[in-house]
Amino acid sequence: MAEVKLINVWKQFGDFTAVKDMNLHIKDGEFMILLGPSGCGKTTTLRMIAGLEEPTKGQIYIGDKLVADPEKGIFVPPKDRDIAMVFQSYALYPHMTVYDNIAFPLKLRKVPKDEIDRRVREVAEMLGLTELLNRKPRELSGGQRQRVALGRAIVRKPQVFLMDEPLSNLDAKLRVKMRAELKRLQRQLGVTTIYVTHDQVEAMTMGDRVAVINQGQLQQVGTPEEVYDRPANTFVAGFIGSPPMNFMDATVTEDGFADFGEFRLKFLPDQFEVLREKNLVGREVIFGIRPEDIYDALFAQVKIPGENMARALVEIIENLGGEKIVHLSIGDVTFLGKFPAESRVQEGQEVDVVFDMRKAHVFEKGSGKAVF
Ligand SMILES: Nc1ncnc2c1ncn2[C@@H]1O[C@H](COP(=O)(O)OP(=O)(O)OP(=O)(O)O)[C@@H](O)[C@H]1O
Ligand SMILES: [Mg+2]
């Protein structure tokens, strides 16, 4: 086990910057998720930790060991970094049995035969592969193959696991199951794990902490609750949560309202205090609120404080069975609400909606930085 540290790490491909000044400290035994849209630099970051890419600038530590520092000419090759990787395309050796696939990294390291046998069987037991040890990969389902690939990675008990979207080619149901299995396995082994995904549900359910990346730049690192409840900027706020947070242009009024032109919502006293301190009274801001924090007034279960009701037109309803995603508009301000299945809203009709102002966010216009 070991901590992993990236200090001011950059990666250039020609004049394209794939990773910009990344600072990330992954604690011993932690399950850290790298989350971000396609092309944001997740795989590149993971490959630098693995030693498959050399950073252009900066330092990478695994445990106490400096494994990469181009300025000092230090670059430790992958085989000497004591890491195990599972990639999206987990190529198994097709001519080898499950047993031999899992045993392979140990054979490579000349581990004695009886110890190999013991460890392969232990890992197979853990992953529910005991009955399948004599099969070839082509005789396995996708999920079973996935577990063999995981088995091959964990049989070695490395200091760090690096996983790049390892569940991406499983069907939805199997993915949910494997998510839980992987999480349990990581807890059990206690090995520091860095896990790449662009799936925010995977990130929120599996990670101890989530590092959100956009265009090669780290946006925020925090627990799933932190990045959901207190996003650092509009990118994180919009990336985490489904459907995404509503963003609405507003002006902060002298008497403590968010003014949207067509309607107004009153800030809570402590929120207005913060806006006043930051000199945002009279200024334009971005107001953010999640669809789940906008209620059909008939179904607002708790007494939500504040002057926070408005009449909206129901444009479109997406019925998801357990809930309804309702596209709403007030004048030319549009937003989504997540209503319970029992809500009787109809397309083309009006509905009173309640905004839970306790859950409201304000972001600076321009920078997109969170005020609260
Ligand atoms: N060897 C390379 N040469 C040039 N550009 C590269 C190279 N590898 C990656 N890139 C670019 O760097 C950026 C980051 O790529 P990376 O593979 O890290 O993205 P990612 O976050 O893993 O995306 P995805 O979710 O699609 O896998 C992309 O714009 C990509 O085109
Ligand atoms: Mg990738």
PDB file of all heavy atoms in Angstrom, residues 75-89:
ATOM      1  N   PHE A  75      13.030   8.732 -14.162  1.00  0.00           N
ATOM      2  CA  PHE A  75      11.871   8.047 -14.734  1.00  0.00           C
ATOM      3  C   PHE A  75      11.970   6.551 -14.436  1.00  0.00           C
ATOM      4  O   PHE A  75      12.787   5.848 -15.005  1.00  0.00           O
ATOM      5  CB  PHE A  75      11.784   8.278 -16.249  1.00  0.00           C
ATOM      6  CG  PHE A  75      10.540   7.668 -16.841  1.00  0.00           C
ATOM      7  CD1 PHE A  75       9.291   8.259 -16.645  1.00  0.00           C
ATOM      8  CD2 PHE A  75      10.613   6.472 -17.558  1.00  0.00           C
ATOM      9  CE1 PHE A  75       8.145   7.687 -17.168  1.00  0.00           C
ATOM     10  CE2 PHE A  75       9.457   5.894 -18.084  1.00  0.00           C
ATOM     11  CZ  PHE A  75       8.232   6.501 -17.885  1.00  0.00           C
ATOM     12  N   VAL A  76      11.130   6.097 -13.506  1.00  0.00           N
ATOM     13  CA  VAL A  76      11.125   4.683 -13.126  1.00  0.00           C
ATOM     14  C   VAL A  76      10.184   3.939 -14.076  1.00  0.00           C
ATOM     15  O   VAL A  76       9.027   4.333 -14.216  1.00  0.00           O
ATOM     16  CB  VAL A  76      10.653   4.518 -11.664  1.00  0.00           C
ATOM     17  CG1 VAL A  76      10.562   3.044 -11.277  1.00  0.00           C
ATOM     18  CG2 VAL A  76      11.581   5.280 -10.719  1.00  0.00           C
ATOM     19  N   PRO A  77      10.644   2.893 -14.761  1.00  0.00           N
ATOM     20  CA  PRO A  77       9.783   2.187 -15.721  1.00  0.00           C
ATOM     21  C   PRO A  77       8.634   1.445 -15.007  1.00  0.00           C
ATOM     22  O   PRO A  77       8.740   1.138 -13.815  1.00  0.00           O
ATOM     23  CB  PRO A  77      10.732   1.211 -16.409  1.00  0.00           C
ATOM     24  CG  PRO A  77      11.870   1.043 -15.473  1.00  0.00           C
ATOM     25  CD  PRO A  77      11.993   2.318 -14.698  1.00  0.00           C
ATOM     26  N   PRO A  78       7.544   1.163 -15.758  1.00  0.00           N
ATOM     27  CA  PRO A  78       6.339   0.567 -15.165  1.00  0.00           C
ATOM     28  C   PRO A  78       6.622  -0.677 -14.320  1.00  0.00           C
ATOM     29  O   PRO A  78       6.057  -0.823 -13.240  1.00  0.00           O
ATOM     30  CB  PRO A  78       5.484   0.193 -16.380  1.00  0.00           C
ATOM     31  CG  PRO A  78       5.987   1.004 -17.498  1.00  0.00           C
ATOM     32  CD  PRO A  78       7.387   1.402 -17.191  1.00  0.00           C
ATOM     33  N   LYS A  79       7.515  -1.537 -14.793  1.00  0.00           N
ATOM     34  CA  LYS A  79       7.717  -2.807 -14.095  1.00  0.00           C
ATOM     35  C   LYS A  79       8.339  -2.615 -12.705  1.00  0.00           C
ATOM     36  O   LYS A  79       8.245  -3.495 -11.858  1.00  0.00           O
ATOM     37  CB  LYS A  79       8.556  -3.768 -14.944  1.00  0.00           C
ATOM     38  CG  LYS A  79       9.979  -3.317 -15.197  1.00  0.00           C
ATOM     39  CD  LYS A  79      10.743  -4.420 -15.915  1.00  0.00           C
ATOM     40  CE  LYS A  79      12.165  -4.034 -16.292  1.00  0.00           C
ATOM     41  NZ  LYS A  79      12.956  -3.290 -15.318  1.00  0.00           N
ATOM     42  N   ASP A  80       8.945  -1.457 -12.477  1.00  0.00           N
ATOM     43  CA  ASP A  80       9.550  -1.200 -11.160  1.00  0.00           C
ATOM     44  C   ASP A  80       8.685  -0.299 -10.277  1.00  0.00           C
ATOM     45  O   ASP A  80       9.148   0.206  -9.251  1.00  0.00           O
ATOM     46  CB  ASP A  80      10.942  -0.567 -11.336  1.00  0.00           C
ATOM     47  CG  ASP A  80      11.869  -1.496 -12.092  1.00  0.00           C
ATOM     48  OD1 ASP A  80      11.745  -2.723 -11.922  1.00  0.00           O
ATOM     49  OD2 ASP A  80      12.698  -1.001 -12.888  1.00  0.00           O
ATOM     50  N   ARG A  81       7.430  -0.080 -10.689  1.00  0.00           N
ATOM     51  CA  ARG A  81       6.582   0.829  -9.893  1.00  0.00           C
ATOM     52  C   ARG A  81       5.625   0.100  -8.954  1.00  0.00           C
ATOM     53  O   ARG A  81       4.891   0.721  -8.212  1.00  0.00           O
ATOM     54  CB  ARG A  81       5.781   1.753 -10.819  1.00  0.00           C
ATOM     55  CG  ARG A  81       6.672   2.757 -11.516  1.00  0.00           C
ATOM     56  CD  ARG A  81       5.882   3.896 -12.133  1.00  0.00           C
ATOM     57  NE  ARG A  81       6.794   4.762 -12.878  1.00  0.00           N
ATOM     58  CZ  ARG A  81       6.473   5.937 -13.363  1.00  0.00           C
ATOM     59  NH1 ARG A  81       5.236   6.410 -13.207  1.00  0.00           N
ATOM     60  NH2 ARG A  81       7.363   6.656 -14.004  1.00  0.00           N
ATOM     61  N   ASP A  82       5.572  -1.211  -9.019  1.00  0.00           N
ATOM     62  CA  ASP A  82       4.692  -2.010  -8.160  1.00  0.00           C
ATOM     63  C   ASP A  82       3.232  -1.557  -8.230  1.00  0.00           C
ATOM     64  O   ASP A  82       2.594  -1.257  -7.223  1.00  0.00           O
ATOM     65  CB  ASP A  82       5.175  -2.004  -6.710  1.00  0.00           C
ATOM     66  CG  ASP A  82       4.564  -3.167  -5.928  1.00  0.00           C
ATOM     67  OD1 ASP A  82       4.025  -4.085  -6.565  1.00  0.00           O
ATOM     68  OD2 ASP A  82       4.610  -3.143  -4.688  1.00  0.00           O
ATOM     69  N   ILE A  83       2.750  -1.500  -9.453  1.00  0.00           N
ATOM     70  CA  ILE A  83       1.355  -1.143  -9.684  1.00  0.00           C
ATOM     71  C   ILE A  83       0.716  -2.242 -10.523  1.00  0.00           C
ATOM     72  O   ILE A  83       1.422  -3.003 -11.183  1.00  0.00           O
ATOM     73  CB  ILE A  83       1.251   0.167 -10.493  1.00  0.00           C
ATOM     74  CG1 ILE A  83       2.292   0.092 -11.613  1.00  0.00           C
ATOM     75  CG2 ILE A  83       1.481   1.396  -9.634  1.00  0.00           C
ATOM     76  CD1 ILE A  83       2.057   0.994 -12.719  1.00  0.00           C
ATOM     77  N   ALA A  84      -0.600  -2.356 -10.462  1.00  0.00           N
ATOM     78  CA  ALA A  84      -1.298  -3.267 -11.366  1.00  0.00           C
ATOM     79  C   ALA A  84      -2.381  -2.483 -12.067  1.00  0.00           C
ATOM     80  O   ALA A  84      -3.041  -1.645 -11.461  1.00  0.00           O
ATOM     81  CB  ALA A  84      -1.896  -4.428 -10.604  1.00  0.00           C
ATOM     82  N   MET A  85      -2.552  -2.760 -13.340  1.00  0.00           N
ATOM     83  CA  MET A  85      -3.492  -1.977 -14.135  1.00  0.00           C
ATOM     84  C   MET A  85      -4.588  -2.850 -14.715  1.00  0.00           C
ATOM     85  O   MET A  85      -4.332  -3.976 -15.122  1.00  0.00           O
ATOM     86  CB  MET A  85      -2.756  -1.329 -15.300  1.00  0.00           C
ATOM     87  CG  MET A  85      -1.856  -0.201 -14.884  1.00  0.00           C
ATOM     88  SD  MET A  85      -0.924   0.356 -16.304  1.00  0.00           S
ATOM     89  CE  MET A  85       0.424  -0.803 -16.285  1.00  0.00           C
ATOM     90  N   VAL A  86      -5.788  -2.297 -14.759  1.00  0.00           N
ATOM     91  CA  VAL A  86      -6.867  -2.925 -15.523  1.00  0.00           C
ATOM     92  C   VAL A  86      -7.347  -1.871 -16.504  1.00  0.00           C
ATOM     93  O   VAL A  86      -7.749  -0.789 -16.088  1.00  0.00           O
ATOM     94  CB  VAL A  86      -8.050  -3.341 -14.633  1.00  0.00           C
ATOM     95  CG1 VAL A  86      -9.074  -4.119 -15.449  1.00  0.00           C
ATOM     96  CG2 VAL A  86      -7.574  -4.162 -13.453  1.00  0.00           C
ATOM     97  N   PHE A  87      -7.266  -2.207 -17.776  1.00  0.00           N
ATOM     98  CA  PHE A  87      -7.698  -1.240 -18.779  1.00  0.00           C
ATOM     99  C   PHE A  87      -9.048  -1.619 -19.351  1.00  0.00           C
ATOM    100  O   PHE A  87      -9.524  -2.730 -19.175  1.00  0.00           O
ATOM    101  CB  PHE A  87      -6.648  -1.091 -19.878  1.00  0.00           C
ATOM    102  CG  PHE A  87      -5.479  -0.283 -19.412  1.00  0.00           C
ATOM    103  CD1 PHE A  87      -4.248  -0.871 -19.202  1.00  0.00           C
ATOM    104  CD2 PHE A  87      -5.642   1.067 -19.141  1.00  0.00           C
ATOM    105  CE1 PHE A  87      -3.184  -0.109 -18.735  1.00  0.00           C
ATOM    106  CE2 PHE A  87      -4.575   1.825 -18.680  1.00  0.00           C
ATOM    107  CZ  PHE A  87      -3.345   1.232 -18.472  1.00  0.00           C
ATOM    108  N   GLN A  88      -9.628  -0.654 -20.012  1.00  0.00           N
ATOM    109  CA  GLN A  88     -10.939  -0.828 -20.625  1.00  0.00           C
ATOM    110  C   GLN A  88     -10.956  -2.054 -21.541  1.00  0.00           C
ATOM    111  O   GLN A  88     -11.865  -2.863 -21.484  1.00  0.00           O
ATOM    112  CB  GLN A  88     -11.262   0.435 -21.418  1.00  0.00           C
ATOM    113  CG  GLN A  88     -12.558   0.369 -22.165  1.00  0.00           C
ATOM    114  CD  GLN A  88     -12.860   1.695 -22.829  1.00  0.00           C
ATOM    115  OE1 GLN A  88     -12.151   2.685 -22.621  1.00  0.00           O
ATOM    116  NE2 GLN A  88     -13.891   1.727 -23.620  1.00  0.00           N
ATOM    117  N   SER A  89      -9.936  -2.174 -22.373  1.00  0.00           N
ATOM    118  CA  SER A  89      -9.848  -3.363 -23.213  1.00  0.00           C
ATOM    119  C   SER A  89      -8.908  -4.342 -22.529  1.00  0.00           C
ATOM    120  O   SER A  89      -7.720  -4.351 -22.760  1.00  0.00           O
ATOM    121  CB  SER A  89      -9.312  -2.986 -24.587  1.00  0.00           C
ATOM    122  OG  SER A  89      -8.140  -2.221 -24.427  1.00  0.00           O
TER     123      SER A  89
END
